Amino acid sequence: MKSSQYLFLNGIRGWASFIVLLGHLAVGLFAFTIPAYGNLKLLTDGSFAILVFFVLSGLVLSNSHLETKEKILLSCISRYFRLFFPIAITSGIAYILLKEGLMFNHEVGSKIEAMTGLVGHKEWVGNFYSFTPNILGYLKFIFYDVFFNYHGLLSYNPPLF
């Protein structure tokens, strides 16, 4: 398949990204979950949208590789460097905020749970950044762990799963 034949798949990936964003905003900012409306649940289910996004991304990336005949090792190396800088910058910001005591996710998680009774959201938000930051840990994370040994609870940037 030519990449132009994947335009509709990019539309579905866009929908999936939007549903995931809405789900996170609803819970994280407004402390409620998006209701499921019978058969429309597939249109509002963030977990399902994540699965759709990853499956379609794998399909598009695999076929792109097959079309261009790019060597897989070269593709992996270029992907590492393409992703490294955004990861280093966003994780660096998180490192500084955490080091300076400016991360409030534990308090937010407790307040969401207290306000809504949504048990488990404290764990979702509150478990992140439950470690003591250090520069060696940050460097190990951005150069190695995020790519080869990722652990969400020890991450300087949890959304990178």
Side-chain angles (χ1 to χ4, degrees), residues 17-150:
S17 300
F18 183 69
I19 295 300
V20 171
L21 174 69
L22 284 180
H24 284 281
L25 288 175
V27 172
L29 295 179
F30 306 117
F32 67 85
T33 57
I34 295 176
Y37 297 107
N39 292 336
L40 296 177
K41 182 174 178 13
L42 288 179
L43 297 176
T44 60
D45 185 357
S47 297
F48 177 70
I50 289 171
L51 295 175
V52 168
F53 181 85
F54 281 124
V55 168
L56 291 179
S57 294
L59 175 72
V60 171
L61 288 172
S62 298
N63 280 325
S64 171
H65 171 69
L66 292 174
E67 283 179 11
T68 62
K69 305 292 188 222
E70 183 180 13
K71 297 205 182 291
I72 194 77
L73 181 61
L74 180 62
S75 176
C76 290
I77 291 170
S78 66
R79 187 169 183 84
Y80 176 91
F81 288 107
R82 187 175 68 245
L83 295 174
F84 174 79
F85 293 106
I87 289 170
I89 291 167
T90 57
S91 298
I93 292 168
Y95 168 78
I96 292 168
L97 291 174
L98 189 56
K99 191 79 171 165
E100 297 300 319
L102 297 172
M103 285 288 192
F104 302 104
N105 59 302
H106 300 273
E107 294 85 352
V108 169
S110 296
K111 286 184 181 186
I112 288 174
E113 196 169 86
M115 287 171 40
T116 64
L118 294 174
V119 178
H121 286 79
K122 177 181 178 182
E123 294 171 9
W124 177 69
V125 176
N127 279 346
F128 298 134
Y129 306 113
S130 295
F131 57 89
T132 304
N134 65 68
I135 192 67
L136 291 178
Y138 163 72
L139 293 172
K140 182 177 179 278
F141 176 77
I142 64 169
F143 282 104
Y144 180 78
D145 288 346
V146 73
F147 297 103
F148 307 110
N149 189 32
Y150 186 81

